[in-house]
Amino acid sequence: MVEITASDIFGIGQMDKISISLALLGLLCLYLSALAVYWDSVKFFTFSLLVGILSLIAWVFIPSSQTLAAMKVLPAVVNNQRIQGVAENALELTEQFLQDKLESLMSKEKSGAEK
């Protein structure tokens, strides 16, 4: 079974901040690369463009907090045998209840037709 630790919860909570930071870093580096063209600095342009592109690519592929929470929690819930047992028991109780109601309705109809 998958355990969710305090560090997992903290990491999930920080994903949105990391995503925003990567987006801002990417935009800043792209701005700096435009300035490097103005300053005629090839090395600075190459470095800032490379860092900007890599940070924007990382920003695209970093999941949001909600997505990461779903990726962590849903398998733990779906694969939990206790929860599956509860669902099976609830289904059996529902089927039994409906069967009892159907039988009582049919017996009332028969007794009403005999009168």
Side-chain angles (χ1 to χ4, degrees):
M1 185 162 129
V2 177
E3 280 192 34
I4 300 172
T5 63
S7 61
D8 291 336
I9 295 170
F10 178 77
I12 289 170
Q14 298 302 313
M15 291 310 291
D16 289 333
K17 292 177 185 175
I18 292 170
S19 180
I20 290 170
S21 299
L22 283 171
L24 291 175
L25 177 65
L27 293 175
L28 176 67
C29 286
L30 292 178
Y31 174 73
L32 289 176
S33 65
L35 287 179
V37 169
Y38 177 74
W39 295 329
D40 291 332
S41 175
V42 176
K43 290 180 182 179
F44 188 68
F45 170 77
T46 306
F47 177 74
S48 61
L49 186 65
L50 183 64
V51 171
I53 290 172
L54 289 176
S55 63
L56 289 176
I57 289 172
W59 172 69
V60 168
F61 288 105
I62 294 284
S64 67
S65 292
Q66 294 86 2
T67 303
L68 194 59
M71 290 168 54
K72 193 74 171 167
V73 171
L74 283 179
V77 171
V78 171
N79 296 326
N80 190 328
Q81 295 298 324
R82 288 180 51 198
I83 292 175
Q84 290 176 357
V86 169
E88 289 173 8
N89 291 339
L91 181 61
E92 289 174 9
L93 287 172
T94 304
E95 288 175 348
Q96 183 64 37
F97 175 78
L98 292 174
Q99 187 66 31
D100 291 343
K101 285 293 186 184
L102 182 62
E103 288 173 1
S104 68
L105 285 174
M106 293 186 82
S107 66
K108 285 182 183 178
E109 285 180 7
K110 286 184 182 179
S111 65
E114 291 177 3
K115 287 185 179 179

